[in-house]
Amino acid sequence: MKTNRVRILLMAFLANIALMTTAQNKLFTLEDLNFGGTNYRNMIPENRYATWWGDELVRQDADKCTLIDKASGKEKTLFTLDALNRWAGTDDQTKVRSLYYTLFPYAGKPLVLVDNGKERMLIDFKSKKRVWRQSSADEQHAEWNAASRAVAFVRNDNLFVTDAAGKTHQLTTDGSREIVYAQSVHRDEFGIYKGTFWSSDGSKLAFYRMDQSMVTDYPLVDIDTRIATVAPTKYPMAGETTHKVSVGIYDVKSGKTVYLQTGDPTDRYFTNISWAPDAKTIYLIEINRDQNVYTLDAYSATDGRKIATLYTEKHEKYVHPLNPITFLPWDSSRFILQTERDGYNHLYLFSLKGNEAKEERQLTQGAWVVLDLLGFNTKTKSAIILSTERNPIQNNVYAVNVETGRRVLLDNGEGCHLATRGAGGSHAAALSASGAYLYDVYSSPEVPRQINIVATATGKTVEYFAAKDPWIGYQVPQFSSGVLKAADGVTDLYYRMVKPADFDPSKKYPTVIYVYGGPGTRNVEARWHFMSRGWEPYMAQKGYIVFILDNRGSSDRGRAFEQATFRHLGIEEMKDQMKGVEYLKSLPYVDSTRLGVHGWSFGGFMTTNLMTTYPDVFKVGVAGGPVVDWKWYEAMYGERYMDTPQSNPEGYAESSLMPKAKNLKGKLQIITGMNDPVVVPQHCLSFLKACIEAGTQPDFFVYPGEPHNMRGHQSVHLHERITQYFEDYLK
């Protein structure tokens, strides 16, 4: 009896040990790691969502809103979802479903703005009743103004404004697929992400009107109809005719609309719209089609006449303004302009005197980039910025005294801060109304997510929330980062490497280079796991090393770093990527006979380029949505970096992958969305045709009906397909 009992206890002990060992060695699936996966939500660090109510901080949750004590981080319930629906008088058909998107637009007033898809409502959560309502049904591209309570929106291609009293005014009648109102223009370039711009007092609305009737239709196809039908998209290719944009001003009180007197809009880009604090003047930045000159211009909001050109900037390669001017909240005669005229994006202080702007001083300077102007602390008269000053792969927050330029670090000096983005990629929602407090969502290579509340006057920090590591219990790969010299022998390049969890330096591993390499993006940042994509640990789990290098031409390293690729995209980038290959070959555990490469969009261009330029180096490649010839890409982006095919035929010829189709030796799979409106199917199909003529053999896979990136669960399918291709031919 005793012997049996001991045997049972021993078996139970061994079973527990086995269970514990298994629990620490769970394997990832793409359902865990891919954003379209069924378990993805449980595998990313937990988050907290919050919004500012003046200088008070409110946590938004699905079923309640709580007031966060900024001194302690403790929470107190303001109201619940059920209570709010009772106060609003909604029923099962009209009830508000979640409180994640609530807004508290009036500091000091207990009013919350909610929308049930049919009405937007202001609920007084102190008196527990609905105090205002406005229809929100059938609105597209809606923008509500808190001061006037008017909303601008698009319906049936035309622009409407509904005022606070609920009266709807139709501003346009000729809206169509060819005449586009109140939406983003110029292919979302130059920092444009929307098409309506309210003055701060809500008395006037600026809006875009885009005439694209002269732009060529690109013939995409809808296969979901009984007989496939043409579903064309307007697509202005490099060197071809582009659309014409004008800017209208609607006066809410008078009901009248005027257009800015810009003259003939042909081959001109109007961007970065902003209002004077008194709503009498509107400012915009105009860029010429060659994108080597821009002007900051002032227009009368009353009659649309041009008042003055306040600032002009030129560059021999290109200019790239991304931010509207920002007026100082305590002095309406002074504003901040962001420009990279000294080689890095920095802040410059200007003052307005009559119809002239005088530059007072450069507020920030150094071999680093201001990533965002968040706003101002009005009491200390400081600008709050996010920058790369600490390290090129970090994002840190500083207060900059507007009068002295003195900078004070407001965070711990590590990792990447303000990870939560607002509209258009801005971080401004992180700052409270007066700028006194900052809601800082932070991560580092070892910290999944930490949320702090920071007093911007003193830097005093309260730790509000720390997320647990959601990967505990899994076989987590090894993440590291380092620096290599670029092909110029001078410039530092940053890389990320992902190794299997059971990495053995005495073994040799097949290695895949993941590449993007184009402007506007950093792939290596000091975030959790160095910003590794979910597919990378999945590949490491399968026994691969994955390597990612940010070459010259990528973003946030200054103008010279980005412009190294001007007029010959893909040349310098490949030289830098090959320095990465050189480094990999120097590592005893990298099998240089089994090198693969994968990328999407610009990364697809780079993948195909590397496979056909260095056919004896790369054994396997997967190119997603690749640009093949820049003459088939859109004008605004393409001409900035390549000029036009007419003015730079040598550069376009040099960057084209068509003549390189004959060089393909390894296994290359090309993948695209059949209805891609960004990198249109002509790229892939033309390259396949060139390969057929040359007798080379790429593989091809298409996602019917999908755009440039695969949506939802199809992304899981995509990444399983990419993985399987390397499993079949590289491993």
Side-chain angles (χ1 to χ4, degrees), residues 244-257:
K244 299 179 181 181
V245 169
S246 51
V247 179
I249 307 291
Y250 173 71
D251 188 307
V252 174
K253 185 176 181 180
S254 70
K256 294 181 178 179
T257 299

Side-chain angles (χ1 to χ4, degrees), residues 79-110:
F79 52 82
T80 66
L81 177 62
D82 289 341
L84 184 138
N85 276 306
R86 286 198 308 272
W87 304 335
T90 59
D91 56 28
D92 285 342
Q93 299 299 316
T94 61
K95 67 180 180 181
V96 178
R97 305 287 175 178
S98 169
L99 296 178
Y100 277 125
Y101 305 104
T102 53
L103 294 175
F104 296 77
Y106 307 107
K109 296 182 180 180

Side-chain angles (χ1 to χ4, degrees), residues 120-227:
R120 64 177 54 82
M121 299 171 281
L122 283 170
I123 309 296
D124 187 321
F125 53 87
K126 185 176 182 180
S127 62
K128 302 179 180 180
K129 62 182 180 181
R130 182 181 61 205
V131 296
W132 178 82
R133 66 201 298 185
Q134 182 184 66
S135 173
S136 63
D138 301 320
E139 294 179 351
Q140 296 175 302
H141 310 288
E143 184 174 4
W144 184 77
N145 180 266
S148 65
R149 297 187 185 176
V151 61
F153 62 93
V154 174
R155 180 184 293 156
N156 297 326
D157 297 315
N158 282 297
L159 175 59
F160 296 78
V161 168
T162 299
D163 61 28
K167 184 176 181 181
T168 299
H169 309 264
Q170 184 168 349
L171 275 59
T172 69
T173 57
D174 60 340
S176 67
R177 179 175 164 270
E178 297 192 329
I179 306 296
V180 179
Y181 284 102
Q183 298 175 50
S184 180
V185 299
H186 302 324
R187 305 288 295 185
D188 302 330
E189 293 295 327
F190 318 112
I192 301 170
Y193 65 94
K194 63 174 187 169
T196 53
F197 310 86
W198 283 106
S199 61
S200 59
D201 64 0
S203 65
K204 295 182 179 69
L205 173 76
F207 61 89
Y208 278 129
R209 178 186 190 271
M210 177 171 64
D211 181 353
Q212 55 181 2
S213 59
M214 68 292 296
V215 176
T216 302
D217 276 333
Y218 188 89
L220 298 175
V221 176
D222 179 4
I223 65 166
D224 290 329
T225 55
R226 171 63 179 83
I227 299 174

Side-chain angles (χ1 to χ4, degrees), residues 267-285:
D267 293 338
R268 299 164 70 191
Y269 303 133
F270 301 118
T271 77
N272 297 298
I273 291 173
S274 60
W275 283 95
D278 63 4
K280 294 180 180 179
T281 308
I282 191 167
Y283 304 91
L284 58 79
I285 290 176

Side-chain angles (χ1 to χ4, degrees), residues 646-710:
Q646 297 91 328
S647 64
N648 183 25
E650 298 85 0
Y652 275 82
E654 184 183 29
S655 294
S656 175
L657 306 186
M658 295 291 285
K660 298 182 179 182
K662 64 182 183 297
N663 301 337
L664 182 63
K665 289 184 179 180
K667 295 295 295 184
L668 173 63
Q669 178 173 228
I670 298 171
I671 305 176
T672 193
M674 191 180 77
N675 291 70
D676 190 338
V678 179
V679 181
V680 292
Q682 188 166 352
H683 291 269
C684 293
L685 299 177
S686 297
F687 186 75
L688 292 176
K689 183 178 180 181
C691 288
I692 293 167
E693 292 173 352
T696 52
Q697 293 284 345
D699 293 316
F700 182 57
F701 191 85
V702 64
Y703 282 85
E706 286 298 288
H708 189 50
N709 298 102
M710 303 313 114

